[in-house]
Amino acid sequence: MAHDAPAKSLSRDLILGSWRMTSWLTRDVATGERQDALGPNPHGTVVYTPERVTFLIVKGDRLIPEKLPPADSEKIALFDTMFAYSGTYTVHPDRVVHHVDMSWNEAWSGTEQVRFCSVDGDTLTYTSAPAKNPFNGREVVHEVTYRRETLPAT
């Protein structure tokens, strides 16, 4: 008989370190449709320090601009295929709250980004509350998975 193990409460010590994104899916609240948020190969890192500082940077597959500086259309494409922010964080038993102090998009600076979380071994999973997708404005739930980064053996 299978049963679910009780979820382990989050703690600062449990999430400390650097985490590498392995997947990011969105689920459209209205339709239930699930899709890759930044394509099939998203790249991202979130870091939690002992000083309660966090930073996050995420990007999808991106084209390299033909020259520097990029053309206006290339700048838009680069902006639309990434996001990043930093700030402090607070840990609760079921979630972490990112208190954003600076962001790639000033609309996020000064906000609180709530991430419902679970940690299973070296896997960190975020699930958001329903919110507007920053890429298309639709109401979605974000489901993001990270793997704890470790130093290579020396």
Side-chain angles (χ1 to χ4, degrees):
M1 175 169 132
H3 61 80
D4 292 331
K8 187 173 185 177
S9 289
L10 285 180
S11 68
R12 184 183 67 122
D13 290 341
L14 195 59
I15 67 170
L16 281 178
S18 179
W19 301 83
R20 179 73 59 175
M21 181 182 287
T22 57
S23 70
W24 180 9
L25 298 172
T26 59
R27 181 176 42 84
D28 190 291
V29 172
T31 67
E33 178 187 2
R34 294 169 60 104
Q35 64 181 21
D36 292 316
L38 286 174
N41 300 305
H43 304 279
T45 299
V46 62
V47 175
Y48 295 101
T49 73
E51 297 81 15
R52 296 195 187 273
V53 171
T54 187
F55 62 89
L56 176 140
I57 185 164
V58 176
K59 71 179 191 78
D61 291 329
R62 303 171 81 189
L63 296 176
I64 297 171
E66 290 186 25
K67 61 182 174 142
L68 291 177
D72 288 348
S73 61
E74 292 171 319
K75 290 177 187 177
I76 292 168
L78 290 169
F79 181 86
D80 284 347
T81 55
M82 67 86 58
F83 72 91
Y85 62 78
S86 68
T88 58
Y89 67 94
T90 306
V91 179
H92 301 272
D94 64 341
R95 67 191 175 277
V96 62
V97 180
H98 299 166
H99 310 279
V100 179
D101 62 12
M102 68 175 137
S103 174
W104 97 113
N105 181 340
E106 280 305 310
W108 281 37
S109 296
T111 67
E112 291 188 345
Q113 300 296 314
V114 177
R115 306 293 183 245
F116 294 94
C117 301
S118 64
V119 176
D120 183 8
D122 287 333
T123 301
L124 170 67
T125 303
Y126 286 166
T127 304
S128 74
K132 283 192 177 184
N133 187 328
F135 300 111
N136 65 17
R138 296 198 44 95
E139 189 90 354
V140 298
V141 171
H142 297 271
E143 300 165 354
V144 187
T145 305
Y146 293 88
R147 183 105 180 126
R148 187 183 299 276
E149 294 190 288
T150 57
L151 293 173
T154 56

